[in-house]
Amino acid sequence: MQHKIRIAAAGNTLAPALGILQKLGYAVTRDRTAEQQYQAENDTCIFVADDPLTLLGLVKIYEERGADWQPSDEEVQRLLLLDECEE
């Protein structure tokens, strides 16, 4: 039986996420003011998040859904149901 690869969001995923963002053509900077947020920017978009891994997630959402990235009511409901199952 083949083992599944398991990757968890942790410190060792931040550098690969940064490398992927740069490979995709994003300039990544860090705002060193009070919020210390990271920013990924290209010619058409700016993404802001607390870390490179979350930035990569935002970029992927945009790649998949474009400017119409907002969740549908059904998606929000599925999220809420998932959260209820964990309680």
Side-chain angles (χ1 to χ4, degrees):
M1 182 176 172
Q2 188 176 24
H3 294 282
K4 292 183 180 181
I5 293 174
R6 183 173 189 267
I7 302 173
N12 64 348
T13 61
L14 300 178
L18 175 61
I20 293 167
L21 286 164
Q22 292 171 330
K23 184 177 178 182
L24 291 171
Y26 288 91
V28 180
T29 56
R30 187 167 186 194
D31 179 1
R32 298 241 180 233
T33 61
E35 298 203 19
Q36 296 190 21
Q37 291 189 312
Y38 289 82
Q39 180 172 298
E41 182 174 358
N42 68 8
D43 293 338
T44 59
C45 299
I46 298 173
F47 301 95
V48 178
D50 292 333
D51 59 72
L53 188 59
T54 305
L55 275 179
L56 184 56
L58 294 175
V59 167
K60 188 61 179 174
I61 288 171
Y62 182 76
E63 285 180 354
E64 290 293 317
R65 297 174 75 149
D68 189 27
W69 60 265
Q70 292 84 357
S72 67
D73 290 343
E74 181 181 307
E75 289 171 321
V76 171
Q77 188 61 35
R78 283 196 305 258
L79 177 63
L80 294 174
L81 288 172
L82 184 63
D83 287 344
E84 286 177 8
C85 291
E86 294 178 0
E87 291 178 0

